[in-house]
Amino acid sequence: MACWLIIWFWSVQSDVPEFEDWLDQPIPDDVWAYQQDPQQGIFDAVVIHEDFKVHRDCYQYFTQARILSEQGKAAYSLLEFPQNTTAIRGRIVDRGGEVTTFDMEHNAVERLIFRYQQEEATIKTILPPGLTDDCVLELFWEQETKYGLPI
């Protein structure tokens, strides 16, 4: 039974397109229609879409968030990723349609968070350029795995 569950989990794939496909897509009007609405529990920022894919050698994550206020902007102004992150790509689209892209190679800083004798741990940090209080953030990242299991 456990073997079949693992095989099924391994075969699950989401329908999120590759990140490069998102770069060319305009933000749909229904995403821009989100506004703060305490009656519906919508405050500061809304996660529009979130997805996760399991591969043999990596996990892939995708999130799309609508930023609605300064507090929402603050929540996404510092993005941190574990040390086994191998790729980070994203874009910020403002209400006027201006797009600002960022990636691990050009925008990430690796920070030491722990050191003891010969062991150390780091995280990768990005301050997304172009983030405003009225924009959409799209973010893709990969984390290295071994046989589909976390490292």
Side-chain angles (χ1 to χ4, degrees), residues 29-103:
D29 290 338
D30 60 337
V31 171
W32 291 114
Y34 280 95
Q35 300 296 322
Q36 291 194 67
D37 186 352
Q39 297 288 346
Q40 294 184 347
I42 299 175
F43 302 95
D44 303 323
V46 177
V47 174
I48 304 297
H49 185 90
E50 195 163 52
D51 213 329
F52 173 76
K53 290 183 183 182
V54 176
H55 298 276
R56 185 173 193 271
D57 60 348
C58 70
Y59 294 155
Q60 291 182 324
Y61 301 86
F62 177 81
T63 193
Q64 180 186 54
R66 170 80 167 90
I67 310 300
L68 303 168
S69 70
E70 283 296 323
Q71 290 84 2
K73 176 184 169 186
Y76 286 95
S77 64
L78 178 67
L79 305 174
E80 296 181 327
F81 303 90
Q83 66 186 12
N84 67 332
T85 302
T86 57
I88 304 167
R89 294 182 294 261
R91 74 175 181 165
I92 307 290
V93 182
D94 71 13
R95 170 86 57 185
E98 185 176 332
V99 177
T100 305
T101 60
F102 57 93
D103 60 31

Side-chain angles (χ1 to χ4, degrees), residues 5 11 13 17 33 48 51 56 61 65 67 70 78 122 132 136 145-146 150:
L5 181 60
S11 68
Q13 291 285 329
I48 304 297
D51 213 329
R56 185 173 193 271
Y61 301 86
I67 310 300
E70 283 296 323
L78 178 67
T122 61
T132 70
V136 174
T145 63
K146 187 170 185 175

